[in-house]
Amino acid sequence: MPTTDICYLGLVEVGQQIQAKKLSPVEVTKAMLERIERLDARLKSYAYVMADSALAQAAAAEKEIASGKIKGPLHGVPVAIKDLCWVKGAPAAHGMTIHRDFRPSEDATVVARLKDAGAIILGKLQQTEGAYADHHPKIDPPKNPWNADLWSGASSSGSGSATAAGLCFGSLGTDTGGSIRFPSAANGITGLKPTWGRVSRYGAFELAATLDHIGPMTRSAVDCGAMLGAIAGQDAKDTTAVPLPVPDYLAGLSGSLRGVVIGVDRRWTSEGTDEAASKVLSEGSRVAADLGAEISEITFPDTKAMVDDWFPLCGIEAAVAHEATYPSRKDEYGPALAGLLDLGLQQSGTDYQKIVLRREAFRGAVRRLFETVDLIAVPAQAFAAPTLATMATLGEDASLIAGLLRFTCPFDMTGSPTITLPGGFAPNGGPVAFQFVGRHFDEAGLVHAGDAFQRVTDWHKRHPAL
């Protein structure tokens, strides 16, 4: 099989071929490393490639599989990790110059669980500074493989670029205000933001502790389900990881949405939303209805306060995360992250408490919606496939910031799970996506709905010409 064809196989699909001994995990890992070496000097998606340890892990997986010991769907499959998640002995810079020499002495829980599942760790993926809005001025941002003039998303930009370009079969990203969803949409891949508390955050640098979510970024809903099944669950090292059983997310996938009620607020999702984003959401809802879903009109609670509150709340929590180095080493920070930290430090205790109360009221209102619907369909963002030139004006245009965060950060404020699905292309050739949002801890429902959509569409199977 040609190398390109191997590298664009699905994660579960390549795993099945490896575990059936039709493909060698060593040869697949070599093919992936060769592709990274050939393409990533241009794409800049990797912060650090771990070729030697990846090949050693692949050789160990090959022996285990040959002996009949199969650990699950990820066994022998090469994946990659967002830089903020610790991998023992590997640099974990968090997109920052301050941490460039930090090499953790242990794995993050999610990394340890991927290794336990037999996955091969190819390396660490580039991200924005501190997982906030912009890349550090001294770091080259990852490129969008569809078009270098298009935004690659933030902050899990390397995860989006590498997964779309076939430089890994799946990756880990994090989402605090939209950072699994933005790069998934921008790069035409599938991203699953789990419920807050479904996945341990131990061994991952914080941006904002009560907003941060770690989740899979792959090329299909099924592949997201496979990765989530490996990393989810309670953790003695992180007491915020909830003690709920982890379902088999790949069980019972039928391709039908009969009996599923999907809520859509047509006013909220269309107001200020561009034609490409609106069209993809409308078409996604139509496909869901064709698959048997009931589309129900809902009124979503006003999100303006949540978008406004997200910035100071994120700033307060980030200031706690960075108190050892900020403001004492402020000159080593880029302007975007420094601005967020300054905003957080300016808030009073009463400011914070008002945000907490508004957030809890909003969480309750959204929770109530899920008494009558199973899923909610929303755009990934209000404007599709933004260019780098457009994103460079972000700090000058309040409507641009609001349009970017309008359909993402409210679901970080609630901790709700979401799945981002590629659903078309903008006139400039960039991918466009929409989201399904689920009730807390119903990631299985999101995988089921995403898989059903992807069985009858092929947007997730399209790849950039590299």
Side-chain angles (χ1 to χ4, degrees):
M1 184 182 294
T3 298
T4 300
D5 292 344
I6 291 174
C7 293
Y8 277 134
L9 290 174
L11 180 150
V12 170
E13 182 183 7
V14 77
Q16 289 170 339
Q17 295 204 30
I18 287 170
Q19 293 141 27
K21 304 173 192 173
K22 295 179 180 178
L23 287 174
S24 155
V26 173
E27 293 307 313
V28 170
T29 300
K30 285 181 178 178
M32 197 63 76
L33 290 169
E34 289 167 3
R35 186 170 172 85
I36 293 167
E37 186 175 6
R38 180 163 53 87
L39 296 176
D40 205 52
R42 174 160 52 97
L43 293 176
K44 302 182 185 301
S45 63
Y46 276 82
Y48 184 72
V49 178
M50 302 168 58
D52 291 344
S53 62
L55 288 170
Q57 290 169 4
E62 189 158 75
K63 289 180 181 178
E64 290 167 343
I65 291 167
S67 70
K69 182 183 179 184
I70 308 296
K71 294 181 175 179
L74 273 64
H75 201 174
V77 180
V79 300
I81 311 297
K82 185 174 179 177
D83 187 38
L84 61 78
C85 294
W86 298 354
V87 177
K88 183 178 179 180
H94 195 23
M96 305 178 68
T97 56
I98 283 178
H99 298 302
R100 63 189 162 201
D101 297 324
F102 174 62
R103 291 178 179 251
S105 59
E106 61 180 322
D107 289 329
T109 295
V110 289
V111 173
R113 288 178 175 173
L114 286 174
K115 289 181 177 179
D116 288 344
I120 312 304
I121 310 300
L122 290 167
K124 307 295 295 298
L125 295 165
Q126 195 56 270
Q127 60 170 81
T128 55
E129 183 186 15
Y132 187 51
D134 290 339
H135 294 85
H136 190 280
K138 294 184 178 180
I139 292 175
D140 289 332
K143 300 294 188 291
N144 188 314
W146 293 91
N147 182 334
D149 293 328
L150 297 178
W151 190 46
S152 60
S155 65
S156 310
S157 48
S159 301
S161 177
T163 305
L167 304 187
C168 58
F169 291 99
S171 59
L172 290 184
T174 64
D175 194 306
T176 305
S179 297
I180 286 174
R181 290 162 289 169
F182 295 145
S184 294
N187 294 282
I189 63 171
T190 303
L192 201 161
K193 180 183 83 69
T195 311
W196 192 88
R198 172 60 89 182
V199 175
S200 170
R201 292 174 293 112
Y202 180 80
F205 282 109
E206 288 179 5
L207 173 54
T210 73
L211 297 166
D212 292 347
H213 304 65
I214 302 175
M217 297 170 64
T218 68
R219 292 191 289 272
S220 75
V222 167
D223 293 350
C224 277
M227 284 194 78
L228 182 61
I231 64 174
Q234 65 179 310
D235 178 19
K237 295 179 178 180
D238 176 6
T239 56
T240 68
V242 296
L244 291 176
V246 178
D248 179 354
Y249 296 111
L250 305 187
L253 299 178
S254 66
S256 170
L257 293 181
R258 193 165 304 282
V260 176
V261 181
I262 300 176
V264 179
D265 183 333
R266 298 191 190 280
R267 180 200 57 78
W268 177 51
T269 58
S270 62
E271 244 176 35
T273 306
D274 72 15
E275 184 178 352
S278 294
K279 181 180 178 182
V280 165
L281 177 65
S282 177
E283 182 63 12
S285 300
R286 183 197 65 76
V287 170
D290 289 347
L291 292 167
E294 175 189 341
I295 307 300
S296 176
E297 295 279 350
I298 62 170
T299 300
F300 199 80
D302 187 8
T303 61
K304 184 179 186 305
M306 290 303 98
V307 174
D308 291 344
D309 284 346
W310 182 89
F311 288 97
L313 177 60
C314 186
I316 291 166
E317 296 192 5
V320 173
H322 287 262
E323 64 182 343
T325 54
Y326 196 90
S328 60
R329 298 174 67 178
K330 184 173 182 175
D331 60 340
E332 296 175 68
Y333 280 72
L337 182 56
L340 177 72
L341 297 173
D342 287 338
L343 176 65
L345 292 169
Q346 292 163 9
Q347 306 304 308
S348 70
T350 52
D351 293 334
Y352 174 72
Q353 178 62 7
K354 289 174 183 177
I355 291 171
V356 169
L357 293 174
R358 286 191 293 266
R359 182 185 186 186
E360 288 306 309
F362 182 77
R363 284 164 61 94
V366 173
R367 185 167 55 245
R368 185 169 293 178
L369 278 179
F370 282 103
E371 294 173 4
T372 56
V373 301
D374 300 300
L375 302 171
I376 297 173
V378 299
Q381 55 204 40
F383 46 89
T387 63
L388 290 173
T390 296
M391 295 306 293
T393 68
L394 193 66
E396 307 159 15
D397 188 344
S399 65
L400 191 63
I401 295 172
L404 187 67
L405 294 176
R406 182 177 171 194
F407 301 112
T408 56
C409 76
F411 300 112
D412 292 296
M413 296 292 267
T414 63
S416 304
T418 75
I419 191 166
T420 301
L421 302 166
F425 289 88
N428 64 9
V432 186
F434 71 102
Q435 302 178 78
F436 285 131
V437 183
R439 60 174 59 91
H440 280 207
F441 302 105
D442 187 24
E443 292 84 4
L446 295 175
V447 173
H448 178 89
D451 171 61
F453 175 78
Q454 290 179 338
R455 289 190 190 200
V456 296
T457 61
D458 71 350
W459 303 112
H460 65 295
K461 295 180 179 178
R462 302 192 187 191
H463 309 301
L466 292 168

